[in-house]
Amino acid sequence: MLGRPEYRRALVFCGLIGVPVALIAFWFLVAVHQLEQLIWTDWPKDLGWEKAPWWWALPLLTPAGVVVGVVAARFPGRGGHVPAGGLHSGGVTRRALPGVLIAALVGLPLGAVLGPEAPLIAMGGGLALLLARVARAPETEASTALLSAAGAAAAVSALFGNPIVGAVLLIEVAGVGGPQLFAVMLPALLASGVGDLIFTGFVHWTGLETGSLDIGLPKPPPLDWADVLWAVVLAPALAFLIHWAFVGGRFAARFVAARTVRNTTLCALAAAVCVTLYAVATGRSPAEAALSGESTLSDLAHDPHAWPVGALIAVLAFKGLAYALCLGSLRGGPVFPALFLGGAAGVLLAPLPGLGLVPAMAVGMAASVTAALRLPVSSVVLVVLLLGNVDTVALVVLAAVGSFVLVQLLPQGPALPAMGEQPADRAAH
């Protein structure tokens, strides 16, 4: 294939496309972050509050629901894929870009419990096709798929700050290799995790060295059998909970499809009520239960003792409910809320005998994000990158594989409306 001139030209063109796509993705992420900071931190302080008051989400998420509902009902592409269906790399055309941007730039900063990764993938793919049209590149089915995947990878790599995550994620999202990919990768992933456990155990027990790629980073406490046993028990339980949040999101999506604008607004209002109940029950900022949880996860990891048990239980319950509602009604990605919920569950469960904070968060995040994405390899790569160490990789692999197997066996809930399907309120007219 590398010997074919057209493939080499496509390779160069994809590399060139990555430059403007990454720049636009960067400014998109900056805009989302700055708007979140302005709305949820700066405005409350400017108005005299130390933090956002308990009712803050109600006047924010409600108009967000109205705007996203109008986009989903009236704009080409319906603002992007419904998040309850997971991540998708195709189906968003050039004409859908305005709707994707409006839904994301309104819904995410105003408190949608979703991340920016799905809009970035849609935006990257759409921008790549737009640039190809401007450059008058030949448009074939194969070239369109190639350029769309390249643009999506460039955009999502800007979010995760790592090209490996972007490449692996798009390989799994695009389904390269078909069902056979998972048939081969899943046993290989599990075997490599078990092999790493055995290898690490023998090095620890015997004290013998075989050579290492360790470069001297700080290490968590050595893994033991208690960590492994807890991973086997806790990963399916957490995956079960995240899975049912997605099933709830599918029911919400079917409810929204009946009367798009009205019901999207109702779901957003219900999510705002969940956020409000969290703030009332805990006396903490409603921002902890709203938004994607990306910055809150960092705060949680750096100072887990600042979160009492009651606050952890409340954020799991209320943010989990708001997550399910947003998955079926608003627009965004499922990754970061799942990571946060898994991390919060890990902090809550860390005091279990023989577990500890780092292994608990590793298991929680791996199980939750795998249940959300159904992409075990991408989930492992992402969680290992976030943890910043290789000592918990075996636990991450075991949790991801256990989570993936379980959610494939559970009922998947109702089917989602197709991207091109007209909502019922439009079809009636």
Side-chain angles (χ1 to χ4, degrees):
M1 186 177 293
L2 286 172
R4 295 167 58 184
E6 60 271 22
Y7 182 79
R8 292 198 299 269
R9 287 195 296 269
L11 197 61
V12 172
F13 190 65
C14 287
L16 295 174
I17 279 177
V19 176
V21 169
L23 287 172
I24 294 170
F26 169 78
W27 289 112
F28 169 80
L29 290 172
V30 168
V32 170
H33 176 75
Q34 293 295 329
L35 286 171
E36 289 179 356
Q37 177 72 20
L38 176 70
I39 294 169
W40 291 87
T41 302
D42 295 344
W43 281 359
K45 289 182 178 178
D46 292 341
L47 294 171
W49 290 292
E50 183 180 349
K51 60 179 183 294
W54 59 269
W55 48 265
W56 196 251
L58 294 170
L60 295 178
L61 272 168
T62 305
V66 175
V67 172
V68 175
V70 170
V71 169
R74 305 294 177 187
F75 279 56
R78 302 176 60 185
H81 293 281
V82 177
L87 290 180
H88 299 272
S89 63
V92 175
T93 63
R94 293 181 292 267
R95 295 177 63 242
L97 280 177
V100 169
L101 287 172
I102 292 170
L105 289 174
V106 172
L108 297 180
L110 291 182
V113 187
L114 297 167
E117 61 279 358
L120 273 176
I121 289 175
M123 185 178 68
L127 284 172
L129 296 178
L130 180 62
L131 292 171
R133 169 64 66 88
V134 171
R136 298 182 179 180
E139 293 187 24
T140 64
E141 184 177 349
S143 67
T144 297
L146 179 65
L147 292 173
S148 179
V156 82
S157 295
L159 170 64
F160 294 118
N162 191 300
I164 302 299
V165 178
V168 173
L169 186 67
L170 263 295
I171 287 172
E172 288 193 289
V173 168
V176 177
Q180 293 82 3
L181 176 70
F182 287 105
V184 173
M185 289 176 68
L186 201 63
L189 187 64
L190 178 60
S192 65
V194 173
D196 183 63
L197 271 176
I198 300 301
F199 186 85
T200 303
F202 269 93
V203 170
H204 179 64
W205 295 330
T206 64
L208 300 175
E209 294 292 339
T210 60
S212 173
L213 296 177
D214 180 23
I215 59 174
L217 293 174
K219 294 183 178 181
L223 297 180
D224 54 31
W225 286 110
D227 296 323
V228 177
L229 293 175
W230 280 122
V232 171
V233 172
L234 296 178
L238 296 175
F240 183 84
L241 297 176
I242 296 295
H243 171 76
W244 284 107
F246 271 76
V247 172
R250 287 174 171 268
F251 278 104
R254 298 306 299 182
F255 170 70
V256 164
R259 293 288 297 274
T260 304
V261 178
R262 185 197 69 181
N263 292 351
T264 300
T265 305
L266 289 175
C267 284
L269 177 60
V273 170
C274 293
V275 172
T276 301
L277 290 174
Y278 168 79
V280 170
T282 63
R284 299 171 68 93
S285 171
E288 294 174 350
L291 305 172
S292 68
E294 182 181 357
S295 60
T296 313
L297 177 61
S298 178
D299 297 337
L300 179 70
H302 283 98
D303 191 12
H305 301 293
W307 290 70
V309 171
L312 290 169
I313 295 174
V315 80
L316 287 170
F318 292 117
K319 192 179 184 79
L321 287 172
Y323 183 39
L325 290 162
C326 292
L327 282 170
S329 58
L330 302 182
R331 295 297 184 266
V335 173
F336 286 105
L339 283 170
F340 174 80
L341 291 171
V347 173
L348 179 64
L349 299 170
L352 289 171
L355 188 52
L357 179 65
V358 175
M361 289 192 71
V363 170
M365 290 192 294
S368 298
V369 77
T370 304
L373 291 180
R374 316 296 172 90
L375 306 174
V377 179
S378 299
S379 300
V380 168
V381 173
L382 177 58
V383 173
V384 170
L385 175 68
L386 290 175
L387 292 172
N389 67 74
V390 297
D391 297 273
T392 53
V393 171
L395 292 183
V396 171
V397 169
L398 290 179
V401 173
S403 173
F404 181 78
V405 171
L406 177 70
V407 297
Q408 295 300 318
L409 299 175
L410 292 173
Q412 301 302 305
L416 293 173
M419 276 286 289
E421 190 176 315
Q422 288 290 342
D425 53 340
R426 290 283 310 272
H429 293 81

